[in-house]
Structures are given as C-alpha cells and as structure tokens.
Amino acid sequence: MSQIRETSHDPFKACKFLIPPTEKNGDFFTLLMKWVLSITLLASIALFFFSAFSSQCRCLMYPDCNRIVQNPQITFSQNTGEYHEKTNISHILFGIGGSAKTWKNRRHYSELWWKPNITRGFVWLDKKPDLNEPWPEGSPPYRVSENTSSLKYTNLSGSRSAVRIARIVLESYRLGLRNVRWFVMGDDDTVFFTDNLVTVLSKYDHNQMYYIGGNSESVEQDMLHSYGMAYGGGGFAISYPLAAALSQLLDGCIVRYSDLYGSDERIFACLAEIGVPLTRELGFHQIDIRGDPYGLLAAHPVAPLVSLHHLDYVKPLFPNRTQLDSLKLLVGAYRTDPGRTLQQSLCYDLNRYWSISVAWGYTVQIYPSLVMAKDLWTPMQTFNTWRSWSNNPFTFNTRPVKPGPHEHLVTYFLDEVVEVGEGTFTTYTRLLGETATKCDQPEYVPELAVKKINVSASKMEAYEWEKGPRRQCCEIINGSDEKEDVLHISIRRCHHGESVTPHYR
C-alpha cells in the first residue's frame, strides 16, 4: 500500500505533496518545522543581500552617500528619497543690520562670534565702506543694501534706516544661496552664541513657517511696540518657507505700515498679514534695561543662552573690566561648554546655613541664610527700565536688592575656565573692596573667609535641551570643618526624586 493511502485519513493530506521525500517515515511536524526554518534562513540571506544592494544603488544616485550613511545626524527618507541632515550652523544665513558709520566701532561684537568659512551671512551697510581701509578679516563680509528712497516712512521719532534694515531678510532671500533653512536677523551690536542658536532651531521643522525670537524685558517697550514682536536687536529667526512668503509682500507691507518705528516692528506687522505668530524662546535677550545686568544674568532662565544686545547701554558684565573684556571672558567659558553657559544651579550648606547659587561661567553667590529656591530663581533688580529708567515693570518677576550694608550677599566672579577630560573646572574669585568685605557681622565671617570657589561639572550636551527643562543640582564637596579659603562645588544631574529643598532644623 502506498504512503499516501496509508495516510489517507491524515487531516493534513492535502499538504503532503509539499513535504520532501525521505528515506524513512518521520514525524510530520518535525519535517514541517525543518522546512519552515529552511525557508526563513533563505529569506533572511536574500533580505541581507537586497539591503546591501539597495544601499549601494542609493549611493550610486547620491555621490556623498558613503559619507552620509556613516553620520548619525543624517537619515534617509523612503517617502521622498532624500537625505535629511540635522540643522547645523551651515543651514543658517545671518543678516546683520549695520552702517558704514557705526561698523568700525561695533564690529568687535560680531567678531566675537563670527567664524570665517563656517558662519554664513553678511553685514548689510547703507553704503560702501571707506575703500582706503581694508575690510577686517575677522568681520563678516558686507553687502550694500538696495536703495529704499521710494518706500514711504512717516514716523517722526524714528530713522529711515528702519526700512532698509527691514528689507535685509528679503535681500538675503533673493541671493538664492543653497542649503539655507533659517534666516537670522540681528544688529551690529548683537552677540550671538551660535552653538546654542543651532540647538534652539534644531527643535523646529524648518520646512514649516516659523518666526522665533524674544520680547523686550521692559513692559513699557512691549506696550509701545508689541508683546507679539521679536525684538530685532536680540535677534530673530525666520524659516525658509516663511521668508519665501514674506518676500512676496514685504515692500507693499512696508508702505502700508509707514508709520511704524523700527525694522523689527515692520517685520512683525507683515508676518501678521501672513498669519504666523511669534514663537518665543527665552534665550534671545534684547537687554532693554539700564544699569547693571548682573541680576538678570545671574538668574538666567532654563534655556540656552542665544544672544545679548544693547551691551553699550549697560554696565560691564564683570566688575573692573571693560565690556569687551567681559564678553571675551564669557565667550571663552561658552566655547568650553555652550549649553551650560549662565545656567543656574542651587545648593545648600545646612551646617553653615548657607544658600549658594551658581550661574555657570559667570558668578557664584553665597547667602548667609537659607533662601528658598523660588527666591533664588528670581532675578535681583540691579537694573531699571529701558525707556524711563524706572524701577518697574518688567516682563518677569524681580526681587529687590536689600539696601542695608550687612544685607548684601557675597559674590564671586569667573576668573578661569579649564577643560578637564569630558568636563570643566571653573574658578570664581571674590573682589576685594566690595561692600560685603567690610561687614563685621558674625554671620559674614565664615563667608568672607572664602576667597575662591572651584566648580567642577560635566559638559552639557546639546541633547539635554531636547528633554524637559530642568536645572541641574549642585553639592558642596568640602565640609564646614575644613579650615580652607577655597570652596569646592560639583554640578551634576539631579537624582531621581531629588529636590534642593533646604530642610530646616
């Protein structure tokens, strides 16, 4: 009797022809599993060779493929057949509003952050500079703006240059430069922190219409102009699609809003016609304040530092230094650890009843009492409003600087930055001659014994800003029993469930 007849009652007899013949009758399920495993193995091998061949074919179509596929910052889209590179500095085109008259005295601001052959963009001047003086090598290249005399300007308190500067984004777009995702506008006295600017813009889809920047710090300015406007000196970014739409109507829009004061106000009005609102980022700083910016910078928001403006109108960032030297010191710290610059960390010494605030790369404050985090996060009002030099109001909360000679905190300013492996080691020193150094109150004696503060920290990677914002924690390394004039502090990521709450005894 044949094998088929012997198994005629097998419910799987219809599949018997699929089973390869064997010398002996084996278990059907064993044979079936072997067959499935063989087919799976063959399919896996085929898929491997297909993937390799497919990648090779794509590389034939894209000459830079071998370079690109090895870069984790670049991905291949199956939908569009294109490579998408994460936003970097080469995707940004800067448009700096300047003039032939002011550039000589203000160029040092741009030269602090401009990197020839890396950063892209132009200083837009009202006319050609003096041909007898060579254009500085460290400055951005310049372009001369188009004639705007035909465009109406009727604001009696402003300057016609607002029309020319408003058109920088239009003229930059019309250059038709390749690979531009963002047009970033600023003034000739704006200092950009470009690594952090890239970090911020990387959060947004450059294929969408975005208008990104910050407000004025003084309420009187926002009331006069607009709360919905990005203030141009602090800088703002416009995505390529929005720049394309803006270029279609800008000149006509400038005429419609001839009564407005500044260039940034015109851009805002025109974008309102397109229907795109401002996306606020807290790291753009117009610095519409007067006096000492210390309180504002020592309690910086939990956001990357992107820009500083109006630095000629406030005191130097560091005492006993010029503003330019102050900025060089801050920029030096920034280059060592861009994302951590000005970021505030809080810690407490419960044995000495000290509260300590560290604004990395700038200052350390010691308070001779336990001060709540909510208060330490609130900027001390060391400044006045921009227009009227009044005590208030501002677009953020402030806390008063106590007037008594014995109520001052003890402050330390950045002295040195050292790169150590994957981290940094910064030193902050107390300035002799400060009011607090003359205070003879008992609670100040231990504080005044500390002449230097060392802060160690790991570097803050850009991806940290892709997470939910949170200040990092700090801790005091040496205890109160150590008779030293140097305080050692370590900044680190906060542990799970950790808070900085001082537990009173």
Side-chain angles (χ1 to χ4, degrees), residues 5 16 21 36 56 59 84 106 149 160 174 176 178 180 208 219 253-255 269 291-292 381 452 458 465 474 500:
R5 289 178 180 176
K16 285 294 183 180
V36 170
Q56 187 66 27
C59 285
H84 295 286
R106 289 186 170 183
S149 59
R160 259 203 80 86
R174 286 180 176 173
R178 297 184 59 188
V180 176
Q208 304 299 317
V219 167
C253 184
I254 287 175
V255 173
D292 192 344
Q381 191 177 326
K452 184 168 69 172
S458 59
W465 293 110
C474 68
V500 297

Side-chain angles (χ1 to χ4, degrees), residues 261-487:
Y261 176 82
S263 59
D264 46 9
E265 202 169 2
R266 282 168 171 73
I267 294 294
F268 163 66
C270 298
L271 295 182
E273 293 190 357
I274 297 174
V276 177
L278 173 65
T279 298
R280 292 178 178 82
E281 282 287 347
L282 297 177
F284 289 86
H285 295 290
Q286 175 74 0
I287 311 292
D288 271 352
I289 57 176
R290 304 283 186 169
D292 192 344
Y294 176 82
L296 175 64
L297 301 182
H300 192 272
V302 186
L305 171 65
V306 174
S307 67
L308 296 173
H309 180 232
H310 276 160
L311 295 169
D312 283 338
Y313 300 92
V314 292
K315 291 183 178 180
L317 306 187
F318 291 90
N320 300 334
R321 293 178 184 265
T322 65
Q323 191 66 285
L324 181 58
D325 287 340
S326 295
L327 286 167
K328 287 179 179 178
L329 183 59
L330 181 65
V331 169
Y334 150 79
R335 287 174 178 160
T336 306
D337 194 349
R340 192 178 292 284
T341 306
L342 293 188
Q343 295 308 302
Q344 186 187 28
S345 298
L346 309 177
C347 47
Y348 296 88
D349 186 325
L350 299 182
N351 292 320
R352 289 177 279 200
Y353 280 79
W354 285 358
S355 304
I356 298 176
S357 171
V358 180
W360 189 91
Y362 183 45
T363 185
V364 179
Q365 304 168 349
I366 300 180
Y367 296 78
S369 60
L370 298 182
V371 183
M372 294 292 96
K374 171 183 172 296
D375 296 321
L376 294 177
W377 284 12
T378 305
M380 293 187 299
Q381 191 177 326
T382 58
F383 43 82
N384 300 107
T385 61
W386 172 257
R387 180 173 292 270
S388 63
W389 294 66
S390 301
N391 269 335
N392 57 74
F394 299 95
T395 55
F396 48 87
N397 295 113
T398 61
R399 56 190 171 100
V401 177
K402 295 184 178 180
H406 304 303
E407 297 295 333
H408 290 283
L409 68 161
V410 180
T411 56
Y412 301 76
F413 286 92
L414 178 68
D415 183 57
E416 186 179 17
V417 182
V418 178
E419 201 166 2
V420 181
E422 298 299 318
T424 58
F425 187 84
T426 49
T427 300
Y428 306 78
T429 57
R430 176 168 55 83
L431 298 179
L432 297 178
E434 292 289 298
T435 303
T437 64
K438 300 177 181 179
C439 185
D440 57 1
Q441 294 295 309
E443 63 268 30
Y444 275 96
V445 173
E447 282 185 291
L448 297 177
V450 177
K451 298 179 180 178
K452 184 168 69 172
I453 299 177
N454 293 329
V455 177
S456 59
S458 59
K459 290 188 178 180
M460 183 177 285
E461 301 296 338
Y463 70 81
E464 296 279 358
W465 293 110
E466 298 174 5
K467 304 176 182 178
R470 183 183 184 183
R471 298 184 192 274
Q472 292 196 350
C473 293
C474 68
E475 58 185 347
I476 300 168
I477 303 302
N478 51 332
S480 59
D481 57 335
E482 297 185 35
K483 305 299 183 181
E484 297 183 0
D485 59 359
V486 178
L487 187 67

Side-chain angles (χ1 to χ4, degrees), residues 20-33:
T22 57
E23 294 181 358
K24 297 181 180 181
N25 294 331
D27 181 81
F28 168 75
F29 292 103
T30 302
L31 293 173
L32 182 61
M33 289 303 296

Side-chain angles (χ1 to χ4, degrees), residues 94-115:
F94 289 93
I96 303 168
S99 72
K101 181 178 179 180
T102 63
W103 184 250
K104 183 176 181 179
N105 294 326
R106 289 186 170 183
R107 67 182 178 86
H108 54 268
Y109 286 125
S110 294
E111 290 173 352
L112 283 170
W113 59 270
W114 187 264
K115 296 180 180 178

Side-chain angles (χ1 to χ4, degrees), residues 68 70-75 84-88 466:
I68 291 174
Q70 297 175 6
N71 188 339
Q73 300 296 321
I74 303 175
T75 58
H84 295 286
E85 189 176 13
K86 192 170 183 179
T87 295
N88 60 53
E466 298 174 5

